[in-house]
Amino acid sequence: MSKTSTNSKKTLLSGVKPTGKPHIGNYFGAMKQWVDLQNNPEFTGDKAQKFFMIADYHALNFIQNAAEMKQNIIDLALDYLAIGIDPKQSIIFKQSDISAHTELAWIFDTITTMPYLQRAHAYKDAEAKNKEISVGAFNYPMLMCADILLYDVDIVPVGQDQKQHVEYARDTAIKFNHIFGGEKDKDNNPTSPVFKLPEPMIMESVATVPGLDGRKMSKSYGNTIPLFASYDEIKKAVMSIVTDAGLGAVAADGTVSDGIPKNIYEIHKLIKPEAELKPLYEANKGKYKALKDALVEDLEAFIKPMRERRALLAQDNDLVMQVLADGASRARMQAEKRLAAAKQAVGVSF
Ligand code: TYM
């Protein structure tokens, strides 16, 4: 049986679903960490393997229109490039190009129980809303386990809402290794585990970026600021940030407003140091329009260079296709090795 860690390089992998325009919650919660890691001296160049996936088969649970899916995939690949993912240093690929993902997910399905998947937050949320859930959405965590475990991943940089999914990947690796890991040592641990155990990497300060209404920023809540928003889109979004009625206003629960609008401040602090923000908010207590105007300008200054870089990249019609084709061939080599080890371990290939 082949062993894990065929190389000693650190490996990281993450992804976004192509379900529409990514927002600043996706960026600060996850995508910014990808770029920072790629450029970190410990991980840069060929010091580490870095996989950034477009999770299109996950998105198929939500987007069931071919033209829209295709456009979303191309747009998201451009987004990855525009934030600074360098296809020479990192592997950008789409999930559906590597059939090992769905094949390994099936193997994992067979060792996973229904009650275990019923504990997934996403499933429980759908249940609570009385939504009819597809088998694909129910099995979503198993496909994500395959995404991660196929590449011998050490680190999965994500936002807080994906923590449980990474824990599922760890649990599933442990379970698989235990059942199929061949020889056991004196503590009953497999001596030649097939899968490596991944760790989530979650930045505490941006683990859950709030949206315009103070809830988690999410495409499904319609409370987002798109990462590549135009000036007008930024303005429209910021002007709709929900605030209290102003300094001294008494809320239904009896609390009195201190004139510092939390929902504006929390977004503002993503892009401006608190040492600069605090005096600005003190000086403008209760002046919500002035604070929103300041946020619009700061967001524009932050987004504009990325938006312009993206527009330039979009002029090259072949770029995305080339990047995805190259990424697929590099990812496939690695994924197929690990799938072959798993198939050998379960006894279907010999
Ligand atoms: P997705 O597409 O919902 O979100 C992409 C990334 O953005 C993070 N995120 C946030 N972080 C902080 N605050 C927010 N308001 C916020 N909203 C979203 C998410 O935590 C995520 O890191 N299942 C994944 C995609 C996926 C994946 C994978 C990720 C598929 N396979 C393997 C890592 C490894 C998802 O739906 O992300």
Side-chain angles (χ1 to χ4, degrees), residues 24 27-28 82-83 225-235 271 295-313:
I24 63 170
Y27 179 73
F28 285 103
I83 61 166
I225 299 177
L227 179 56
F228 297 94
S230 66
Y231 184 77
D232 287 345
E233 285 168 333
I234 295 172
K235 202 161 176 188
I271 51 170
L295 176 57
V296 169
E297 296 313 315
D298 287 336
L299 276 170
E300 169 67 4
F302 165 73
I303 288 177
K304 194 176 172 206
M306 278 200 288
R307 197 176 61 214
E308 289 179 348
R309 189 151 10 119
R310 192 183 186 288
L312 265 182
L313 291 164

PDB file of all heavy atoms in Angstrom, residues 24 27-28 82-83 225-235 271 295-313:
ATOM      1  N   ILE A  24     -16.711  40.668  -0.096  1.00  0.00           N
ATOM      2  CA  ILE A  24     -15.554  40.954   0.757  1.00  0.00           C
ATOM      3  C   ILE A  24     -15.491  40.003   1.960  1.00  0.00           C
ATOM      4  O   ILE A  24     -14.431  39.869   2.572  1.00  0.00           O
ATOM      5  CB  ILE A  24     -15.471  42.445   1.189  1.00  0.00           C
ATOM      6  CG1 ILE A  24     -16.678  42.847   2.030  1.00  0.00           C
ATOM      7  CG2 ILE A  24     -15.338  43.364  -0.021  1.00  0.00           C
ATOM      8  CD1 ILE A  24     -16.496  44.240   2.685  1.00  0.00           C
ATOM      9  N   TYR A  27     -13.423  37.279   0.648  1.00  0.00           N
ATOM     10  CA  TYR A  27     -12.040  37.753   0.496  1.00  0.00           C
ATOM     11  C   TYR A  27     -11.332  37.801   1.843  1.00  0.00           C
ATOM     12  O   TYR A  27     -10.300  37.162   2.028  1.00  0.00           O
ATOM     13  CB  TYR A  27     -12.031  39.132  -0.178  1.00  0.00           C
ATOM     14  CG  TYR A  27     -10.635  39.677  -0.341  1.00  0.00           C
ATOM     15  CD1 TYR A  27      -9.768  39.152  -1.296  1.00  0.00           C
ATOM     16  CD2 TYR A  27     -10.159  40.694   0.481  1.00  0.00           C
ATOM     17  CE1 TYR A  27      -8.471  39.624  -1.428  1.00  0.00           C
ATOM     18  CE2 TYR A  27      -8.864  41.180   0.346  1.00  0.00           C
ATOM     19  CZ  TYR A  27      -8.027  40.637  -0.610  1.00  0.00           C
ATOM     20  OH  TYR A  27      -6.747  41.106  -0.738  1.00  0.00           O
ATOM     21  N   PHE A  28     -11.890  38.555   2.785  1.00  0.00           N
ATOM     22  CA  PHE A  28     -11.169  38.704   4.058  1.00  0.00           C
ATOM     23  C   PHE A  28     -11.178  37.405   4.860  1.00  0.00           C
ATOM     24  O   PHE A  28     -10.210  37.105   5.559  1.00  0.00           O
ATOM     25  CB  PHE A  28     -11.739  39.878   4.863  1.00  0.00           C
ATOM     26  CG  PHE A  28     -11.318  41.200   4.293  1.00  0.00           C
ATOM     27  CD1 PHE A  28     -12.197  41.962   3.538  1.00  0.00           C
ATOM     28  CD2 PHE A  28     -10.026  41.661   4.467  1.00  0.00           C
ATOM     29  CE1 PHE A  28     -11.798  43.171   2.980  1.00  0.00           C
ATOM     30  CE2 PHE A  28      -9.609  42.868   3.908  1.00  0.00           C
ATOM     31  CZ  PHE A  28     -10.501  43.619   3.167  1.00  0.00           C
ATOM     32  N   ALA A  82      -7.129  37.995 -10.316  1.00  0.00           N
ATOM     33  CA  ALA A  82      -7.107  39.436 -10.016  1.00  0.00           C
ATOM     34  C   ALA A  82      -6.722  39.731  -8.570  1.00  0.00           C
ATOM     35  O   ALA A  82      -6.128  40.770  -8.292  1.00  0.00           O
ATOM     36  CB  ALA A  82      -8.470  40.053 -10.331  1.00  0.00           C
ATOM     37  N   ILE A  83      -7.019  38.823  -7.642  1.00  0.00           N
ATOM     38  CA  ILE A  83      -6.617  39.093  -6.247  1.00  0.00           C
ATOM     39  C   ILE A  83      -5.130  38.802  -6.051  1.00  0.00           C
ATOM     40  O   ILE A  83      -4.565  39.115  -5.012  1.00  0.00           O
ATOM     41  CB  ILE A  83      -7.439  38.304  -5.200  1.00  0.00           C
ATOM     42  CG1 ILE A  83      -7.279  36.790  -5.381  1.00  0.00           C
ATOM     43  CG2 ILE A  83      -8.893  38.719  -5.212  1.00  0.00           C
ATOM     44  CD1 ILE A  83      -7.782  35.969  -4.206  1.00  0.00           C
ATOM     45  N   ILE A 225     -21.168  43.061  -0.004  1.00  0.00           N
ATOM     46  CA  ILE A 225     -20.459  44.057  -0.817  1.00  0.00           C
ATOM     47  C   ILE A 225     -19.576  43.236  -1.759  1.00  0.00           C
ATOM     48  O   ILE A 225     -18.650  42.551  -1.308  1.00  0.00           O
ATOM     49  CB  ILE A 225     -19.584  44.988   0.052  1.00  0.00           C
ATOM     50  CG1 ILE A 225     -20.473  45.743   1.051  1.00  0.00           C
ATOM     51  CG2 ILE A 225     -18.793  45.965  -0.834  1.00  0.00           C
ATOM     52  CD1 ILE A 225     -19.705  46.638   2.024  1.00  0.00           C
ATOM     53  N   PRO A 226     -19.887  43.244  -3.069  1.00  0.00           N
ATOM     54  CA  PRO A 226     -19.090  42.426  -3.993  1.00  0.00           C
ATOM     55  C   PRO A 226     -17.629  42.872  -3.995  1.00  0.00           C
ATOM     56  O   PRO A 226     -17.341  44.069  -3.898  1.00  0.00           O
ATOM     57  CB  PRO A 226     -19.752  42.663  -5.355  1.00  0.00           C
ATOM     58  CG  PRO A 226     -21.118  43.184  -5.045  1.00  0.00           C
ATOM     59  CD  PRO A 226     -20.996  43.939  -3.755  1.00  0.00           C
ATOM     60  N   LEU A 227     -16.747  41.896  -4.114  1.00  0.00           N
ATOM     61  CA  LEU A 227     -15.305  42.175  -4.033  1.00  0.00           C
ATOM     62  C   LEU A 227     -14.818  43.090  -5.155  1.00  0.00           C
ATOM     63  O   LEU A 227     -13.868  43.836  -4.984  1.00  0.00           O
ATOM     64  CB  LEU A 227     -14.544  40.844  -4.050  1.00  0.00           C
ATOM     65  CG  LEU A 227     -13.030  40.894  -4.008  1.00  0.00           C
ATOM     66  CD1 LEU A 227     -12.522  41.663  -2.797  1.00  0.00           C
ATOM     67  CD2 LEU A 227     -12.458  39.474  -3.976  1.00  0.00           C
ATOM     68  N   PHE A 228     -15.464  43.004  -6.309  1.00  0.00           N
ATOM     69  CA  PHE A 228     -15.040  43.843  -7.438  1.00  0.00           C
ATOM     70  C   PHE A 228     -16.121  44.879  -7.781  1.00  0.00           C
ATOM     71  O   PHE A 228     -16.278  45.270  -8.929  1.00  0.00           O
ATOM     72  CB  PHE A 228     -14.720  42.967  -8.658  1.00  0.00           C
ATOM     73  CG  PHE A 228     -13.571  42.033  -8.399  1.00  0.00           C
ATOM     74  CD1 PHE A 228     -13.805  40.730  -7.962  1.00  0.00           C
ATOM     75  CD2 PHE A 228     -12.259  42.464  -8.531  1.00  0.00           C
ATOM     76  CE1 PHE A 228     -12.751  39.865  -7.694  1.00  0.00           C
ATOM     77  CE2 PHE A 228     -11.198  41.620  -8.251  1.00  0.00           C
ATOM     78  CZ  PHE A 228     -11.442  40.318  -7.833  1.00  0.00           C
ATOM     79  N   ALA A 229     -16.827  45.320  -6.760  1.00  0.00           N
ATOM     80  CA  ALA A 229     -17.943  46.251  -6.969  1.00  0.00           C
ATOM     81  C   ALA A 229     -17.464  47.547  -7.639  1.00  0.00           C
ATOM     82  O   ALA A 229     -16.353  48.014  -7.383  1.00  0.00           O
ATOM     83  CB  ALA A 229     -18.567  46.588  -5.619  1.00  0.00           C
ATOM     84  N   SER A 230     -18.347  48.115  -8.479  1.00  0.00           N
ATOM     85  CA  SER A 230     -18.078  49.438  -9.052  1.00  0.00           C
ATOM     86  C   SER A 230     -18.329  50.481  -7.957  1.00  0.00           C
ATOM     87  O   SER A 230     -18.914  50.167  -6.911  1.00  0.00           O
ATOM     88  CB  SER A 230     -19.020  49.695 -10.228  1.00  0.00           C
ATOM     89  OG  SER A 230     -20.350  49.774  -9.723  1.00  0.00           O
ATOM     90  N   TYR A 231     -17.928  51.709  -8.229  1.00  0.00           N
ATOM     91  CA  TYR A 231     -18.141  52.780  -7.237  1.00  0.00           C
ATOM     92  C   TYR A 231     -19.630  52.877  -6.884  1.00  0.00           C
ATOM     93  O   TYR A 231     -20.000  52.966  -5.707  1.00  0.00           O
ATOM     94  CB  TYR A 231     -17.624  54.113  -7.799  1.00  0.00           C
ATOM     95  CG  TYR A 231     -17.721  55.246  -6.802  1.00  0.00           C
ATOM     96  CD1 TYR A 231     -16.802  55.355  -5.765  1.00  0.00           C
ATOM     97  CD2 TYR A 231     -18.746  56.191  -6.896  1.00  0.00           C
ATOM     98  CE1 TYR A 231     -16.892  56.390  -4.833  1.00  0.00           C
ATOM     99  CE2 TYR A 231     -18.845  57.225  -5.969  1.00  0.00           C
ATOM    100  CZ  TYR A 231     -17.918  57.312  -4.941  1.00  0.00           C
ATOM    101  OH  TYR A 231     -18.012  58.330  -4.017  1.00  0.00           O
ATOM    102  N   ASP A 232     -20.480  52.836  -7.917  1.00  0.00           N
ATOM    103  CA  ASP A 232     -21.926  52.962  -7.656  1.00  0.00           C
ATOM    104  C   ASP A 232     -22.457  51.791  -6.836  1.00  0.00           C
ATOM    105  O   ASP A 232     -23.324  51.968  -5.968  1.00  0.00           O
ATOM    106  CB  ASP A 232     -22.698  53.051  -8.978  1.00  0.00           C
ATOM    107  CG  ASP A 232     -22.483  54.415  -9.628  1.00  0.00           C
ATOM    108  OD1 ASP A 232     -21.992  55.335  -8.929  1.00  0.00           O
ATOM    109  OD2 ASP A 232     -22.786  54.552 -10.836  1.00  0.00           O
ATOM    110  N   GLU A 233     -21.932  50.602  -7.125  1.00  0.00           N
ATOM    111  CA  GLU A 233     -22.386  49.429  -6.342  1.00  0.00           C
ATOM    112  C   GLU A 233     -21.936  49.540  -4.881  1.00  0.00           C
ATOM    113  O   GLU A 233     -22.670  49.175  -3.967  1.00  0.00           O
ATOM    114  CB  GLU A 233     -21.830  48.137  -6.958  1.00  0.00           C
ATOM    115  CG  GLU A 233     -22.537  47.725  -8.241  1.00  0.00           C
ATOM    116  CD  GLU A 233     -21.778  46.616  -9.003  1.00  0.00           C
ATOM    117  OE1 GLU A 233     -20.540  46.513  -8.861  1.00  0.00           O
ATOM    118  OE2 GLU A 233     -22.446  45.888  -9.747  1.00  0.00           O
ATOM    119  N   ILE A 234     -20.718  50.042  -4.708  1.00  0.00           N
ATOM    120  CA  ILE A 234     -20.226  50.220  -3.329  1.00  0.00           C
ATOM    121  C   ILE A 234     -21.146  51.198  -2.590  1.00  0.00           C
ATOM    122  O   ILE A 234     -21.604  50.944  -1.472  1.00  0.00           O
ATOM    123  CB  ILE A 234     -18.773  50.772  -3.323  1.00  0.00           C
ATOM    124  CG1 ILE A 234     -17.806  49.752  -3.930  1.00  0.00           C
ATOM    125  CG2 ILE A 234     -18.338  51.153  -1.910  1.00  0.00           C
ATOM    126  CD1 ILE A 234     -16.385  50.285  -4.136  1.00  0.00           C
ATOM    127  N   LYS A 235     -21.444  52.298  -3.262  1.00  0.00           N
ATOM    128  CA  LYS A 235     -22.260  53.347  -2.641  1.00  0.00           C
ATOM    129  C   LYS A 235     -23.649  52.807  -2.273  1.00  0.00           C
ATOM    130  O   LYS A 235     -24.121  52.999  -1.151  1.00  0.00           O
ATOM    131  CB  LYS A 235     -22.395  54.497  -3.644  1.00  0.00           C
ATOM    132  CG  LYS A 235     -22.724  55.778  -2.991  1.00  0.00           C
ATOM    133  CD  LYS A 235     -22.409  56.947  -3.881  1.00  0.00           C
ATOM    134  CE  LYS A 235     -22.889  58.188  -3.118  1.00  0.00           C
ATOM    135  NZ  LYS A 235     -22.834  59.372  -3.903  1.00  0.00           N
ATOM    136  N   ILE A 271     -10.699  47.339   6.411  1.00  0.00           N
ATOM    137  CA  ILE A 271      -9.813  48.013   5.450  1.00  0.00           C
ATOM    138  C   ILE A 271      -9.058  49.189   6.042  1.00  0.00           C
ATOM    139  O   ILE A 271      -8.275  49.829   5.345  1.00  0.00           O
ATOM    140  CB  ILE A 271     -10.606  48.490   4.202  1.00  0.00           C
ATOM    141  CG1 ILE A 271     -11.849  49.293   4.623  1.00  0.00           C
ATOM    142  CG2 ILE A 271     -10.979  47.334   3.301  1.00  0.00           C
ATOM    143  CD1 ILE A 271     -12.521  49.987   3.464  1.00  0.00           C
ATOM    144  N   LEU A 295     -16.727  55.473   4.564  1.00  0.00           N
ATOM    145  CA  LEU A 295     -16.561  54.047   4.231  1.00  0.00           C
ATOM    146  C   LEU A 295     -16.589  53.833   2.718  1.00  0.00           C
ATOM    147  O   LEU A 295     -15.793  53.058   2.178  1.00  0.00           O
ATOM    148  CB  LEU A 295     -17.654  53.201   4.927  1.00  0.00           C
ATOM    149  CG  LEU A 295     -17.656  51.717   4.592  1.00  0.00           C
ATOM    150  CD1 LEU A 295     -16.313  51.046   4.914  1.00  0.00           C
ATOM    151  CD2 LEU A 295     -18.786  50.984   5.338  1.00  0.00           C
ATOM    152  N   VAL A 296     -17.484  54.535   2.024  1.00  0.00           N
ATOM    153  CA  VAL A 296     -17.552  54.412   0.556  1.00  0.00           C
ATOM    154  C   VAL A 296     -16.188  54.756  -0.046  1.00  0.00           C
ATOM    155  O   VAL A 296     -15.648  54.011  -0.871  1.00  0.00           O
ATOM    156  CB  VAL A 296     -18.643  55.343  -0.037  1.00  0.00           C
ATOM    157  CG1 VAL A 296     -18.526  55.415  -1.568  1.00  0.00           C
ATOM    158  CG2 VAL A 296     -20.035  54.877   0.351  1.00  0.00           C
ATOM    159  N   GLU A 297     -15.611  55.856   0.381  1.00  0.00           N
ATOM    160  CA  GLU A 297     -14.339  56.281  -0.198  1.00  0.00           C
ATOM    161  C   GLU A 297     -13.222  55.280   0.123  1.00  0.00           C
ATOM    162  O   GLU A 297     -12.400  54.950  -0.723  1.00  0.00           O
ATOM    163  CB  GLU A 297     -13.941  57.691   0.292  1.00  0.00           C
ATOM    164  CG  GLU A 297     -14.904  58.792  -0.155  1.00  0.00           C
ATOM    165  CD  GLU A 297     -15.271  58.740  -1.641  1.00  0.00           C
ATOM    166  OE1 GLU A 297     -14.378  58.562  -2.481  1.00  0.00           O
ATOM    167  OE2 GLU A 297     -16.485  58.859  -1.955  1.00  0.00           O
ATOM    168  N   ASP A 298     -13.207  54.781   1.353  1.00  0.00           N
ATOM    169  CA  ASP A 298     -12.153  53.826   1.729  1.00  0.00           C
ATOM    170  C   ASP A 298     -12.325  52.497   0.984  1.00  0.00           C
ATOM    171  O   ASP A 298     -11.337  51.873   0.582  1.00  0.00           O
ATOM    172  CB  ASP A 298     -12.152  53.605   3.245  1.00  0.00           C
ATOM    173  CG  ASP A 298     -11.588  54.825   3.987  1.00  0.00           C
ATOM    174  OD1 ASP A 298     -10.822  55.591   3.356  1.00  0.00           O
ATOM    175  OD2 ASP A 298     -11.925  55.023   5.165  1.00  0.00           O
ATOM    176  N   LEU A 299     -13.575  52.072   0.808  1.00  0.00           N
ATOM    177  CA  LEU A 299     -13.796  50.829   0.050  1.00  0.00           C
ATOM    178  C   LEU A 299     -13.367  51.014  -1.401  1.00  0.00           C
ATOM    179  O   LEU A 299     -12.739  50.130  -1.999  1.00  0.00           O
ATOM    180  CB  LEU A 299     -15.277  50.420   0.101  1.00  0.00           C
ATOM    181  CG  LEU A 299     -15.713  49.619   1.329  1.00  0.00           C
ATOM    182  CD1 LEU A 299     -17.238  49.507   1.373  1.00  0.00           C
ATOM    183  CD2 LEU A 299     -15.096  48.205   1.326  1.00  0.00           C
ATOM    184  N   GLU A 300     -13.712  52.154  -1.968  1.00  0.00           N
ATOM    185  CA  GLU A 300     -13.342  52.425  -3.360  1.00  0.00           C
ATOM    186  C   GLU A 300     -11.814  52.396  -3.511  1.00  0.00           C
ATOM    187  O   GLU A 300     -11.287  51.786  -4.442  1.00  0.00           O
ATOM    188  CB  GLU A 300     -13.927  53.779  -3.805  1.00  0.00           C
ATOM    189  CG  GLU A 300     -13.410  54.312  -5.140  1.00  0.00           C
ATOM    190  CD  GLU A 300     -13.808  53.488  -6.371  1.00  0.00           C
ATOM    191  OE1 GLU A 300     -14.578  52.507  -6.217  1.00  0.00           O
ATOM    192  OE2 GLU A 300     -13.345  53.811  -7.479  1.00  0.00           O
ATOM    193  N   ALA A 301     -11.106  53.027  -2.571  1.00  0.00           N
ATOM    194  CA  ALA A 301      -9.639  53.054  -2.659  1.00  0.00           C
ATOM    195  C   ALA A 301      -9.073  51.633  -2.549  1.00  0.00           C
ATOM    196  O   ALA A 301      -8.078  51.298  -3.194  1.00  0.00           O
ATOM    197  CB  ALA A 301      -9.066  53.934  -1.551  1.00  0.00           C
ATOM    198  N   PHE A 302      -9.733  50.799  -1.766  1.00  0.00           N
ATOM    199  CA  PHE A 302      -9.254  49.433  -1.589  1.00  0.00           C
ATOM    200  C   PHE A 302      -9.592  48.541  -2.805  1.00  0.00           C
ATOM    201  O   PHE A 302      -8.768  47.762  -3.278  1.00  0.00           O
ATOM    202  CB  PHE A 302      -9.879  48.859  -0.296  1.00  0.00           C
ATOM    203  CG  PHE A 302      -9.772  47.384  -0.186  1.00  0.00           C
ATOM    204  CD1 PHE A 302      -8.540  46.794   0.101  1.00  0.00           C
ATOM    205  CD2 PHE A 302     -10.866  46.569  -0.408  1.00  0.00           C
ATOM    206  CE1 PHE A 302      -8.424  45.418   0.168  1.00  0.00           C
ATOM    207  CE2 PHE A 302     -10.760  45.198  -0.344  1.00  0.00           C
ATOM    208  CZ  PHE A 302      -9.528  44.622  -0.058  1.00  0.00           C
ATOM    209  N   ILE A 303     -10.802  48.705  -3.328  1.00  0.00           N
ATOM    210  CA  ILE A 303     -11.274  47.806  -4.400  1.00  0.00           C
ATOM    211  C   ILE A 303     -10.739  48.205  -5.781  1.00  0.00           C
ATOM    212  O   ILE A 303     -10.455  47.343  -6.617  1.00  0.00           O
ATOM    213  CB  ILE A 303     -12.836  47.757  -4.405  1.00  0.00           C
ATOM    214  CG1 ILE A 303     -13.338  46.967  -3.178  1.00  0.00           C
ATOM    215  CG2 ILE A 303     -13.382  47.153  -5.697  1.00  0.00           C
ATOM    216  CD1 ILE A 303     -14.853  46.914  -3.035  1.00  0.00           C
ATOM    217  N   LYS A 304     -10.596  49.508  -6.000  1.00  0.00           N
ATOM    218  CA  LYS A 304     -10.279  50.009  -7.350  1.00  0.00           C
ATOM    219  C   LYS A 304      -9.082  49.303  -8.018  1.00  0.00           C
ATOM    220  O   LYS A 304      -9.210  48.839  -9.166  1.00  0.00           O
ATOM    221  CB  LYS A 304     -10.051  51.522  -7.299  1.00  0.00           C
ATOM    222  CG  LYS A 304     -10.041  52.176  -8.662  1.00  0.00           C
ATOM    223  CD  LYS A 304      -9.900  53.683  -8.516  1.00  0.00           C
ATOM    224  CE  LYS A 304      -9.695  54.300  -9.880  1.00  0.00           C
ATOM    225  NZ  LYS A 304      -8.994  55.554  -9.831  1.00  0.00           N
ATOM    226  N   PRO A 305      -7.935  49.178  -7.346  1.00  0.00           N
ATOM    227  CA  PRO A 305      -6.797  48.545  -8.040  1.00  0.00           C
ATOM    228  C   PRO A 305      -7.091  47.108  -8.459  1.00  0.00           C
ATOM    229  O   PRO A 305      -6.715  46.680  -9.553  1.00  0.00           O
ATOM    230  CB  PRO A 305      -5.672  48.574  -6.997  1.00  0.00           C
ATOM    231  CG  PRO A 305      -6.100  49.557  -5.960  1.00  0.00           C
ATOM    232  CD  PRO A 305      -7.583  49.634  -5.993  1.00  0.00           C
ATOM    233  N   MET A 306      -7.813  46.371  -7.614  1.00  0.00           N
ATOM    234  CA  MET A 306      -8.139  44.966  -7.962  1.00  0.00           C
ATOM    235  C   MET A 306      -9.130  44.925  -9.125  1.00  0.00           C
ATOM    236  O   MET A 306      -9.044  44.091 -10.013  1.00  0.00           O
ATOM    237  CB  MET A 306      -8.758  44.255  -6.751  1.00  0.00           C
ATOM    238  CG  MET A 306      -7.735  43.749  -5.775  1.00  0.00           C
ATOM    239  SD  MET A 306      -8.390  42.463  -4.718  1.00  0.00           S
ATOM    240  CE  MET A 306      -9.463  43.375  -3.662  1.00  0.00           C
ATOM    241  N   ARG A 307     -10.091  45.863  -9.073  1.00  0.00           N
ATOM    242  CA  ARG A 307     -11.111  45.921 -10.134  1.00  0.00           C
ATOM    243  C   ARG A 307     -10.444  46.224 -11.475  1.00  0.00           C
ATOM    244  O   ARG A 307     -10.761  45.624 -12.504  1.00  0.00           O
ATOM    245  CB  ARG A 307     -12.103  47.024  -9.755  1.00  0.00           C
ATOM    246  CG  ARG A 307     -13.418  46.983 -10.467  1.00  0.00           C
ATOM    247  CD  ARG A 307     -14.326  48.073  -9.911  1.00  0.00           C
ATOM    248  NE  ARG A 307     -13.789  49.403 -10.079  1.00  0.00           N
ATOM    249  CZ  ARG A 307     -13.969  50.421  -9.216  1.00  0.00           C
ATOM    250  NH1 ARG A 307     -14.671  50.240  -8.112  1.00  0.00           N
ATOM    251  NH2 ARG A 307     -13.450  51.603  -9.463  1.00  0.00           N
ATOM    252  N   GLU A 308      -9.460  47.120 -11.434  1.00  0.00           N
ATOM    253  CA  GLU A 308      -8.775  47.495 -12.678  1.00  0.00           C
ATOM    254  C   GLU A 308      -7.903  46.339 -13.191  1.00  0.00           C
ATOM    255  O   GLU A 308      -7.851  46.069 -14.389  1.00  0.00           O
ATOM    256  CB  GLU A 308      -7.951  48.766 -12.460  1.00  0.00           C
ATOM    257  CG  GLU A 308      -8.866  49.962 -12.304  1.00  0.00           C
ATOM    258  CD  GLU A 308      -8.148  51.291 -12.063  1.00  0.00           C
ATOM    259  OE1 GLU A 308      -6.925  51.294 -11.789  1.00  0.00           O
ATOM    260  OE2 GLU A 308      -8.826  52.325 -12.140  1.00  0.00           O
ATOM    261  N   ARG A 309      -7.253  45.661 -12.248  1.00  0.00           N
ATOM    262  CA  ARG A 309      -6.419  44.518 -12.656  1.00  0.00           C
ATOM    263  C   ARG A 309      -7.316  43.444 -13.299  1.00  0.00           C
ATOM    264  O   ARG A 309      -6.988  42.826 -14.295  1.00  0.00           O
ATOM    265  CB  ARG A 309      -5.703  43.938 -11.426  1.00  0.00           C
ATOM    266  CG  ARG A 309      -4.671  42.910 -11.750  1.00  0.00           C
ATOM    267  CD  ARG A 309      -3.539  42.863 -10.727  1.00  0.00           C
ATOM    268  NE  ARG A 309      -3.793  43.648  -9.530  1.00  0.00           N
ATOM    269  CZ  ARG A 309      -3.860  43.143  -8.298  1.00  0.00           C
ATOM    270  NH1 ARG A 309      -3.716  41.890  -8.103  1.00  0.00           N
ATOM    271  NH2 ARG A 309      -4.055  43.918  -7.264  1.00  0.00           N
ATOM    272  N   ARG A 310      -8.483  43.262 -12.710  1.00  0.00           N
ATOM    273  CA  ARG A 310      -9.399  42.252 -13.239  1.00  0.00           C
ATOM    274  C   ARG A 310      -9.853  42.616 -14.656  1.00  0.00           C
ATOM    275  O   ARG A 310      -9.920  41.763 -15.551  1.00  0.00           O
ATOM    276  CB  ARG A 310     -10.609  42.121 -12.309  1.00  0.00           C
ATOM    277  CG  ARG A 310     -11.456  40.903 -12.621  1.00  0.00           C
ATOM    278  CD  ARG A 310     -12.684  40.863 -11.732  1.00  0.00           C
ATOM    279  NE  ARG A 310     -13.425  39.624 -11.930  1.00  0.00           N
ATOM    280  CZ  ARG A 310     -14.127  39.341 -12.997  1.00  0.00           C
ATOM    281  NH1 ARG A 310     -14.213  40.190 -14.005  1.00  0.00           N
ATOM    282  NH2 ARG A 310     -14.765  38.183 -13.091  1.00  0.00           N
ATOM    283  N   ALA A 311     -10.153  43.888 -14.869  1.00  0.00           N
ATOM    284  CA  ALA A 311     -10.605  44.333 -16.196  1.00  0.00           C
ATOM    285  C   ALA A 311      -9.521  44.083 -17.238  1.00  0.00           C
ATOM    286  O   ALA A 311      -9.809  43.653 -18.362  1.00  0.00           O
ATOM    287  CB  ALA A 311     -10.985  45.810 -16.147  1.00  0.00           C
ATOM    288  N   LEU A 312      -8.275  44.307 -16.862  1.00  0.00           N
ATOM    289  CA  LEU A 312      -7.150  44.055 -17.786  1.00  0.00           C
ATOM    290  C   LEU A 312      -7.053  42.565 -18.124  1.00  0.00           C
ATOM    291  O   LEU A 312      -6.931  42.178 -19.292  1.00  0.00           O
ATOM    292  CB  LEU A 312      -5.839  44.478 -17.130  1.00  0.00           C
ATOM    293  CG  LEU A 312      -5.313  45.865 -17.427  1.00  0.00           C
ATOM    294  CD1 LEU A 312      -3.981  46.070 -16.722  1.00  0.00           C
ATOM    295  CD2 LEU A 312      -5.117  46.043 -18.947  1.00  0.00           C
ATOM    296  N   LEU A 313      -7.104  41.750 -17.084  1.00  0.00           N
ATOM    297  CA  LEU A 313      -6.994  40.293 -17.295  1.00  0.00           C
ATOM    298  C   LEU A 313      -8.134  39.773 -18.171  1.00  0.00           C
ATOM    299  O   LEU A 313      -7.945  38.878 -18.989  1.00  0.00           O
ATOM    300  CB  LEU A 313      -7.022  39.562 -15.942  1.00  0.00           C
ATOM    301  CG  LEU A 313      -5.803  39.766 -15.033  1.00  0.00           C
ATOM    302  CD1 LEU A 313      -6.114  39.328 -13.606  1.00  0.00           C
ATOM    303  CD2 LEU A 313      -4.601  38.986 -15.571  1.00  0.00           C
TER     304      LEU A 313
END
